[in-house]
Amino acid sequence: MSNTRETVANAEIAFSNRRYEEALRWFQKALEETPDDIYVLTRAGSICVPLGRFEEALRYFGYAKELDPNNGDVVFNYANACFFNKDNVSAFAGYVEAEKLGCSEDVTPRLYYQLALINSMRQDAKSALIYLKKCEKVDKTGTIALSSDFISEKVKLYMFLEDYAQAEACAAQLVAAQPSELKNYMVYFGILMAHKDYDTAEKVLSDALNYAVSSPDEKITISLQQAAVLAAKSDADSSNKKMLCSAAITLLKECLGYEGITAAHTVQIIIAIAEAHLKAEEYDKAIECLLFILSKADHPSSNHNIAAAQVVLEDLSPEELEVMIYADIEMIREKIDSGALDRNLGRYTEPSFDEDYHEYRVYEDLTVTVDDTPHDDSKKDDRPSPEELINGYDLPTDDRERIYFMLLSSYMGKEEFKEARKYALMLKHSENKYYSYFGRYSSALISRKATGNSSNTVQLYNESIAFFRARAFEDPTDSLASIFRARLYAESGKYEKAKEMALLLSEDDQKSVIEYIEECRKSN
């Protein structure tokens, strides 16, 4: 017995110094001497968890449970091992059993927290919140209930239940608990934006900038969100839309001069500038920004012949282009990616930069007039220009499709339907559901705007309505399919059918669709 006591003591010393492998070795030695010691089995299992040896932990805890099946703490440990091994069914059953048996004062708060997590995973938000409240009540030291993970879980659950007031209160608590953690501010910011409290959202970003930002990447993140607030305000205040969008662009262009800016940062900033121009209905400026990115960003391994591809694609009729996209979508992706579908590419003028890397010609609002003040060459900024940063940058698919979506919207705004149709066809094949739906919907709408109620238009509308109808049958929760279907009915003059679909939607979506139906009725 004395040897076992010393062995366990050595294990505990190693554990206290975070020498987990050594601690486990000593506990295993103790089990050779006393294999049925529940305490040693529990400690050995507990050490396996930080080591990531979850199956081994399950064996230790499972044997302890066999030896003492009526011990709530032991049953809880076994349930935890099941949880770590991603067997949530067994874990949930074990937690429920442990709750019935009763656990020690130290284990009970952990039990309630784990039950909350399991219910959250099962999307039973109300039950999860009940267990979180139980945890708060019994967690006398606040070790769990005041942790950022615990509060974040509450925020997530209240957001799921659309209880924004409680979510906001928890998010504010999260920021107060860890004022130097940027992610907490972003959670709070997201909630405020969800219920359009833009003034408080701006203040939260300002606080984040003062107390939590520690890197250029984080500073750029905040600036992009500040611009997003201005853009959102412009949607809510049409009389000041131009001014707010202009303020967003000014803020974003300042980001291009930040220390440590990367190609990815630069792309995101220019896309955000394009979005602000698009909101302000400055379509040409938006298009210039987006085509600038597409003309510079590329897959390094690719060797596109843009001029040759341009001739091939422009000689195709719209129907032939559609067939070609369906037949070899990857080839068309490369041609779009390279800018081959841009008819104006041959007239594109390379940008130039002054000595302070202020850009001319590419996007007008980024132009900064050079004053007559002499420049000190000894202090010349050697940071790369936007063009140098993104030249050859491997643009992620998500960003490419976001750009195609914005180009489609811009060309639609300009009523240049031939250009718009190319991007609509491209987006139809996106793996992003919204983009693919919007591409299909836009193809039909473009045909109506370009050719009226031609036989091709009627066919496109019938095919698109059938497509969205089939999607709704496959997934009744797919509200996007119902929204686009309702819009197509309204544009076709089938107002009652459109209203019938609208009445199936959520309150906000229903209001938006009914307003659109009335617009279509008036315009026809």
Side-chain angles (χ1 to χ4, degrees):
M1 177 65 77
S2 59
N3 286 341
T4 300
R5 186 179 298 174
E6 184 176 353
T7 301
V8 171
N10 288 342
E12 297 290 4
I13 291 169
F15 181 80
S16 66
N17 288 301
R18 298 186 179 184
R19 300 291 300 275
Y20 299 129
E21 291 280 4
E22 191 69 12
L24 181 59
R25 189 176 69 81
W26 281 101
F27 277 125
Q28 288 170 335
K29 185 177 180 181
L31 286 171
E32 291 173 4
E33 300 169 7
T34 56
D36 295 341
D37 189 318
I38 290 176
Y39 175 80
V40 178
L41 284 166
T42 300
R43 294 297 283 156
S46 298
I47 290 171
C48 287
V49 174
L51 291 173
R53 293 156 68 166
F54 302 129
E55 290 185 7
E56 196 172 340
L58 188 64
R59 289 198 297 271
Y60 287 124
F61 288 136
Y63 185 45
K65 183 173 179 283
E66 286 179 23
L67 294 170
D68 193 0
N70 296 316
N71 185 319
D73 286 5
V74 170
V75 174
F76 168 77
N77 286 329
Y78 175 74
N80 253 3
C82 293
F83 180 80
F84 292 131
N85 278 284
K86 299 182 180 178
D87 181 0
N88 290 343
V89 173
S90 298
F92 183 71
Y95 291 139
V96 171
E97 184 182 353
E99 185 180 23
K100 288 178 181 177
L101 293 169
C103 296
S104 65
E105 190 175 283
D106 291 338
V107 170
T108 301
R110 293 165 54 206
L111 168 66
Y112 288 144
Y113 182 54
Q114 290 300 122
L115 277 165
L117 291 181
I118 288 280
N119 278 287
S120 177
M121 291 174 183
R122 295 168 61 173
Q123 296 192 329
D124 185 353
K126 291 183 179 178
S127 295
L129 282 168
I130 288 171
Y131 279 114
L132 288 181
K133 288 176 182 177
K134 284 185 175 183
C135 179
E136 287 177 306
K137 188 174 181 180
V138 299
D139 184 23
K140 296 178 180 178
T141 63
T143 305
I144 299 174
L146 295 178
S147 69
S148 60
D149 287 342
F150 184 92
I151 301 170
S152 295
E153 188 64 30
K154 284 175 67 178
V155 171
K156 184 182 79 174
L157 292 168
Y158 282 125
M159 288 295 288
F160 181 82
L161 294 171
E162 298 183 0
D163 187 344
Y164 297 121
Q166 288 287 354
E168 183 179 335
C170 289
Q173 184 185 9
L174 191 60
V175 168
Q178 292 183 312
S180 62
E181 284 289 332
L182 179 61
K183 65 179 181 180
N184 297 341
Y185 290 92
M186 301 315 294
V187 169
Y188 192 11
F189 170 77
I191 294 167
L192 293 166
M193 291 295 285
H195 59 86
K196 301 179 181 180
D197 185 353
Y198 301 132
D199 291 337
T200 308
E202 281 185 312
K203 183 181 183 307
V204 168
L205 291 177
S206 177
D207 288 344
L209 203 56
N210 290 329
Y211 305 119
V213 169
S214 59
S215 69
D217 184 70
E218 291 174 343
K219 187 177 179 183
I220 289 169
T221 296
I222 294 297
S223 295
L224 286 167
Q225 297 301 338
Q226 287 174 324
V229 175
L230 290 168
K233 280 187 168 183
S234 75
D235 287 334
D237 184 3
S238 57
S239 61
N240 290 311
K241 181 181 283 284
K242 292 265 187 185
M243 180 193 72
L244 290 164
C245 289
S246 178
I249 291 166
T250 299
L251 174 66
L252 289 164
K253 81 174 184 183
E254 290 175 0
C255 296
L256 293 173
Y258 286 171
E259 292 280 357
I261 192 169
T262 65
H265 291 146
T266 305
V267 166
Q268 292 305 313
I269 292 165
I270 297 175
I271 289 176
I273 290 170
E275 285 179 323
H277 282 310
L278 185 55
K279 279 186 178 290
E281 298 181 2
E282 297 168 346
Y283 302 121
D284 286 329
K285 293 176 183 178
I287 290 168
E288 275 191 309
C289 290
L290 299 169
L291 293 183
F292 170 69
I293 297 171
L294 290 180
S295 69
K296 299 302 169 192
D298 202 356
H299 294 287
S301 61
S302 300
N303 183 20
H304 301 294
N305 187 334
I306 296 174
Q310 183 73 28
V311 172
V312 171
L313 290 171
E314 289 197 344
D315 284 345
L316 295 175
S317 69
E319 292 74 21
E320 289 170 328
L321 180 60
E322 176 98 26
V323 170
M324 189 173 180
I325 289 178
Y326 274 107
D328 195 352
I329 186 63
E330 290 306 318
M331 182 183 73
I332 298 298
R333 279 186 188 276
E334 287 196 23
K335 296 183 190 306
I336 292 269
D337 291 347
S338 71
L341 291 182
D342 171 28
R343 296 182 65 221
N344 296 316
L345 190 59
R347 299 191 295 276
Y348 183 76
T349 304
E350 291 293 323
S352 59
F353 300 86
D354 67 21
E355 60 209 60
D356 293 319
Y357 299 108
H358 295 132
E359 186 175 335
Y360 289 87
R361 281 202 54 80
V362 176
Y363 23 86
E364 185 178 323
D365 278 37
L366 290 183
T367 301
V368 178
T369 304
V370 182
D371 59 28
D372 295 328
T373 307
H375 293 280
D376 184 352
D377 288 339
S378 65
K379 298 181 181 179
K380 185 177 178 180
D381 192 345
D382 60 357
R383 283 173 289 185
S385 66
E387 181 188 37
E388 291 169 327
L389 276 169
I390 66 174
N391 191 35
Y393 173 63
D394 191 1
L395 196 63
T397 299
D398 287 349
D399 286 339
R400 287 181 181 275
E401 292 185 340
R402 184 178 168 199
I403 289 171
Y404 300 154
F405 173 77
M406 293 170 65
L407 283 168
L408 168 57
S409 301
S410 298
Y411 283 121
M412 286 285 284
K414 290 186 68 179
E415 297 189 348
E416 292 186 7
F417 300 124
K418 186 175 180 182
E419 293 298 312
R421 188 173 189 275
K422 294 173 183 177
Y423 295 103
L425 293 176
M426 189 64 223
L427 288 174
K428 280 173 68 172
H429 305 284
S430 170
E431 293 182 5
N432 178 298
K433 183 169 75 173
Y434 179 77
Y435 288 158
S436 68
Y437 281 13
F438 189 77
R440 181 173 294 275
Y441 162 75
S442 297
S443 293
L445 181 59
I446 289 166
S447 181
R448 181 175 295 280
K449 288 184 174 292
T451 65
N453 290 323
S454 65
S455 59
N456 187 51
T457 296
V458 172
Q459 182 180 347
L460 275 171
Y461 268 77
N462 289 338
E463 289 175 355
S464 297
I465 288 169
F467 171 84
F468 289 121
R469 185 169 177 265
R471 295 290 82 78
F473 285 169
E474 289 174 9
D475 180 8
T477 66
D478 187 353
S479 59
L480 273 177
S482 298
I483 289 169
F484 283 119
R485 186 177 162 201
R487 290 176 71 95
L488 290 164
Y489 278 137
E491 290 157 13
S492 302
K494 300 173 183 176
Y495 306 121
E496 291 308 312
K497 287 289 292 181
K499 189 173 181 181
E500 185 180 285
M501 295 304 307
L503 294 175
L504 303 175
L505 300 169
S506 67
E507 188 175 336
D508 287 344
D509 289 338
Q510 182 183 125
K511 181 182 176 183
S512 175
V513 171
I514 287 176
E515 286 176 357
Y516 187 71
I517 293 169
E518 292 308 310
E519 286 177 22
C520 291
R521 198 190 295 270
K522 290 175 184 176
S523 62
N524 288 341

